[in-house]
Amino acid sequence: DGKDFTYYTDKDGLSNNKIYAVLSSKDYLLAGSLSGLDYFDGDRFKKVNEKAIFNSAIACLFEDSKGNIWVATEAEGVFVFHFNGSSFEKTKQYTEVDGKLIQPAYKIVEDKNGIVWISTYGHGLFKITDGIAQSVVDKNLTGNDILPIYCDLNNKLYAAVKQEGVFVKDKD
């Protein structure tokens, strides 16, 4: 019948129609837009009530193996949220490590060891181990414009570096 999709807009509660990231789990649906983070309550979208991201452009949404929601923003760093069954609570915010801004954050992945990796445009690659953020320094990683990153089933991390190729980390 040609009506397989339902279309949601700002008329249905979205903060903005420019959606850059979507994340779905068994408990919720999140949409990250140019104007912040929204969640679907089963009927309509509602704003995640966190002042720091209320009008932030959301670039990426990621759920880690512990059920935490990671939100990459263009100008406010990276937020970690926990869904308590009825609302989202901010548990952490990462903005800077060793004088390097964790923004604009572009992509977030997790490896099989539970290390969370964050790529940024202009500030390089970061890793977070047990809540501690570190800037990744490696002689082979020469660029700071890290775009997509991906971790495969063999725990290899691939990072696309703007106009420099692909960086591959294959050692734990």
Side-chain angles (χ1 to χ4, degrees):
D1 65 358
K3 295 185 180 182
D4 295 332
F5 293 88
T6 302
Y7 184 59
Y8 295 99
T9 67
D10 55 355
K11 293 180 179 90
D12 303 295
L14 285 171
S15 299
N16 194 303
N17 289 333
K18 292 183 181 180
I19 305 297
Y20 296 127
V22 178
L23 176 67
S24 177
S25 83
K26 63 181 174 69
D27 295 321
Y28 49 78
L29 170 68
L30 291 170
S33 74
L34 188 63
S35 302
L37 185 62
D38 302 306
Y39 70 96
F40 189 67
D41 70 358
D43 182 42
R44 59 185 291 108
F45 280 90
K46 295 182 178 178
K47 190 93 165 149
V48 171
N49 194 15
E50 171 55 44
K51 186 178 177 182
I53 63 165
F54 208 69
N55 287 308
S56 295
I58 308 298
C60 176
L61 298 170
F62 175 75
E63 184 173 13
D64 70 17
S65 59
K66 297 173 185 166
N68 296 306
I69 306 302
W70 295 72
V71 181
T73 70
E74 287 187 4
E76 304 298 331
V78 175
F79 293 82
V80 182
F81 287 89
H82 176 73
F83 183 66
N84 67 15
S86 62
S87 65
F88 294 88
E89 298 172 356
K90 181 178 84 169
T91 59
K92 189 90 172 171
Q93 180 181 6
Y94 298 94
T95 57
E96 185 178 329
V97 175
D98 301 326
K100 293 177 84 174
L101 296 174
I102 305 180
Q103 66 190 43
Y106 188 80
K107 182 77 174 166
I108 303 170
V109 298
E110 180 181 22
D111 69 19
K112 70 178 183 181
N113 300 318
I115 297 171
V116 174
W117 298 86
I118 301 168
S119 67
T120 67
Y121 189 82
H123 299 120
L125 184 65
F126 296 87
K127 69 178 184 177
I128 299 177
T129 309
D130 297 324
I132 307 299
Q134 295 176 293
S135 175
V136 175
V137 177
D138 188 289
K139 66 179 180 167
N140 293 322
L141 184 60
T142 57
N144 283 322
D145 296 335
I146 314 287
L147 298 171
I149 54 176
Y150 172 75
C151 190
D152 71 12
L153 295 175
N154 296 316
N155 216 34
K156 283 187 182 181
L157 180 75
Y158 300 85
V161 183
K162 184 180 178 190
Q163 298 180 354
E164 294 190 32
V166 177
F167 169 77
V168 181
K169 180 194 165 300
D170 56 4
K171 297 178 182 129
D172 285 337

